[in-house]
Amino acid sequence: MTRKGVIHWVGDEADAPKADRIIDMQGATIVPGLTDAHVHLFAIANERQQISLNGPDVRCLADVLNRISDPARRSPSSQWIRAVGFDENNLAEHRYPTRDEIDAVAPDRPVIIRRFCGHTAILNSAALKLLGIDEGVSDPPSGSFGRDGRGRLDGSARESAAEAIFRAIPPIDPAAMVASLRGTIEDSIRMGLTAAVEAAVGFTSGFDDESAVWDLLRQDASFSPVRLGFMYQLDPKEAATRGLVPRRDPDWQGMTLKFFADGIVGARTAAVSKPFADTGTTGFFMRDEDDLERVIVEAHLDGWQTATHCVGDRASACVISAFEKAERALSGQKPRHRIEHYFVPPEGGLARMKALEALIVTQPSFLARMRRSILGAFGPNADKMYPARSVFDAGVTYVGSSDAPTGHVSPWAGMANAVDRGASLGSPIGPDEALTRRQALGSYIHGGAFAMKQEGWRGALAPGMAADFIAVDRDPFGASTDLAKTEVLMTVLRGVVRHDTLSAGQTAAMEAEVH
Ligand SMILES: [Zn+2]
């Protein structure tokens, strides 16, 4: 039974106090609502505003051009046509569309196509003109503009040239972004999420633009999102300049600064101590190690929780040292500093993390999504990557998350991969690191609430806890349960039914009975 957004009573039906309204859960299993502790909601919402060029029905250049010509025909406005997910490997022609080909289907509106890697842009003539890129342009350092056989611009731009273009195009209309965020969050609720941490504001189109969109969403009284936490992609001084201070809040929390220590496995840019098996390289830091340590210590002194992207073992080791330095400078704060990913575990890292009460926030769906990368980059050592069981065994808090849109957006896919270690695609990666179903589910329930410092009032089905819970179509603890296929039948958030396929139509505020 719930009352005013809080669980009021749990027990046998026969002993239940009188309720104004009873919902028959029809025997479904009920568990606390899930938290996605690292997700890029803004990036997902941003992609939803764009034309998707990946999918089984995009098989040749004509399919690509058709998708672009559709909006060009429908609305003759001057707005940018933006397409994402382009991959010529999936096309019969195995090449990019040329500027002339795009011009033929969209002569008047600027078009930008983003290759799936995010390092290449393809533009039409209207876009080149708007951006002031003409035939006289020269290649920037570590970037290039593509040219055809006659030396004329073909519309493509790579690396730093593409980056500059992505920054130069106008941001998507804030009102459209708010609508898209609402849709993204509604989808999350349907998947059983009742809380999420945006990781991070500033990641997609810059801090101030993104912050303005989130503020607009917050002012929208007609919409109540999941319980949100925000990481700010800002250095402590930049946060202070904007008047930001760490703020705990059950609905709209901002207590975390996000930093990037190194790169990724896919591009072999993660800072590792042992060379990658296939490239023989050891990656690099995204910012100077001393500088990274400095901002982590400063953030700690200012009362922030920090969350640092660390993929390689050199990156994690450096950040753990920074945590230790911060703790020496000001102890007893229990900031629950976070390491995001913890892909390549550093020697002795877990014992140091435990002593610091620091958290590992990880993305089990990467075990499936990045399978080829992991096997290629680490060869025989692949089984040691993305530890999970050993994190639990060391007494370090393991937090499950999606990192969508890079990882699989569904928490159930993540949990399934935490249990099967990607076995659906071949042999499991690091079978000894497999979690039990209970641990996997717990990492999205207690783990996520703990990362947000909210475990005291949500994440359990007990009187006094928040009425955030879900009903699912199967027993998530059953030995033969396929977790990935779990359907959420009902999501209750703050005591309000927000998603319901059990008893269609019940969406008003309610007093639920919990079996
Ligand atoms: Zn991320």
Side-chain angles (χ1 to χ4, degrees), residues 126-409:
L128 288 169
K129 190 168 170 217
L130 267 177
L131 295 172
I133 301 169
D134 57 30
E135 298 300 334
V137 72
S138 50
D139 289 346
S142 55
S144 63
F145 292 97
R147 291 179 187 273
D148 64 18
R150 291 168 296 146
R152 177 175 169 268
L153 290 174
D154 66 8
S156 68
R158 287 172 183 77
E159 299 297 341
S160 66
E163 260 170 55
I165 287 168
F166 293 134
R167 273 198 303 270
I169 61 173
I172 292 171
D173 170 52
M177 274 305 300
V178 168
S180 191
L181 270 174
R182 281 180 62 147
T184 303
I185 292 168
E186 288 293 359
D187 282 353
S188 308
I189 292 171
R190 279 191 280 277
M191 290 186 292
L193 294 174
T194 54
V197 179
E198 170 70 8
V201 182
F203 179 76
T204 306
S205 59
F207 183 86
D208 296 314
D209 278 356
E210 289 181 37
S211 191
V213 170
W214 284 110
D215 285 347
L216 268 182
L217 181 74
R218 196 178 185 186
Q219 288 155 20
D220 182 348
S222 69
F223 182 67
S224 153
V226 295
R227 301 186 190 275
L228 289 169
F230 294 90
M231 299 182 192
Y232 303 135
Q233 194 170 327
L234 296 172
D235 282 358
K237 283 203 174 66
E238 294 173 316
T241 307
R242 288 170 171 80
L244 295 168
V245 288
R247 210 167 47 84
R248 304 267 299 276
D249 182 311
D251 296 314
W252 204 277
Q253 179 159 280
M255 61 167 197
T256 312
L257 296 187
K258 171 84 181 275
F259 307 117
F260 285 85
D262 64 342
I264 59 174
V265 172
R268 310 293 186 266
T269 46
V272 291
S273 52
K274 214 170 163 203
F276 289 114
D278 48 5
T279 60
T281 55
T282 54
F284 49 83
F285 278 79
M286 299 296 275
R287 64 194 293 174
D288 179 73
E289 286 171 71
D290 292 338
D291 187 45
L292 181 62
E293 187 180 275
R294 177 184 61 79
V295 289
I296 289 174
V297 172
E298 270 178 31
H300 176 89
L301 294 176
D302 286 352
W304 295 99
Q305 178 190 52
T306 64
T308 307
H309 165 111
C310 296
V311 172
D313 56 342
R314 286 195 288 137
S316 286
C318 164
V319 168
I320 293 170
S321 297
F323 292 169
E324 288 166 345
K325 190 167 179 189
E327 188 62 25
R328 285 195 297 275
L330 178 65
S331 64
Q333 301 300 297
K334 302 208 177 294
R336 299 186 188 171
H337 291 310
R338 310 169 36 144
I339 287 188
E340 315 298 303
H341 313 306
Y342 204 77
F343 212 121
V344 186
E347 202 74 50
L350 290 175
R352 294 166 71 195
M353 292 283 284
K354 177 172 163 49
L356 290 156
E357 297 179 43
L359 320 179
I360 290 177
V361 183
T362 187
Q363 298 75 32
S365 80
F366 285 3
L367 289 163
R369 281 229 162 159
M370 299 182 187
R371 182 184 175 81
R372 267 189 45 187
S373 268
I374 296 172
L375 297 177
F378 303 110
N381 288 321
D383 281 348
K384 299 199 185 93
M385 301 307 143
Y386 245 81
R389 187 60 171 265
S390 54
V391 176
F392 271 89
D393 290 349
V396 174
T397 301
Y398 172 100
V399 183
S401 70
S402 72
D403 200 11
T406 303
H408 198 301
V409 71

Side-chain angles (χ1 to χ4, degrees), residues 33-47:
L34 310 177
T35 297
D36 191 340
H38 179 138
V39 59
H40 299 272
L41 294 169
F42 193 96
I44 298 170
N46 190 56
E47 285 192 0

Side-chain angles (χ1 to χ4, degrees), residues 467-485:
D468 296 359
F469 53 87
I470 58 176
V472 291
D473 70 338
R474 63 198 67 202
D475 170 11
F477 308 117
S480 57
T481 298
D482 186 350
L483 276 174
K485 294 213 167 74

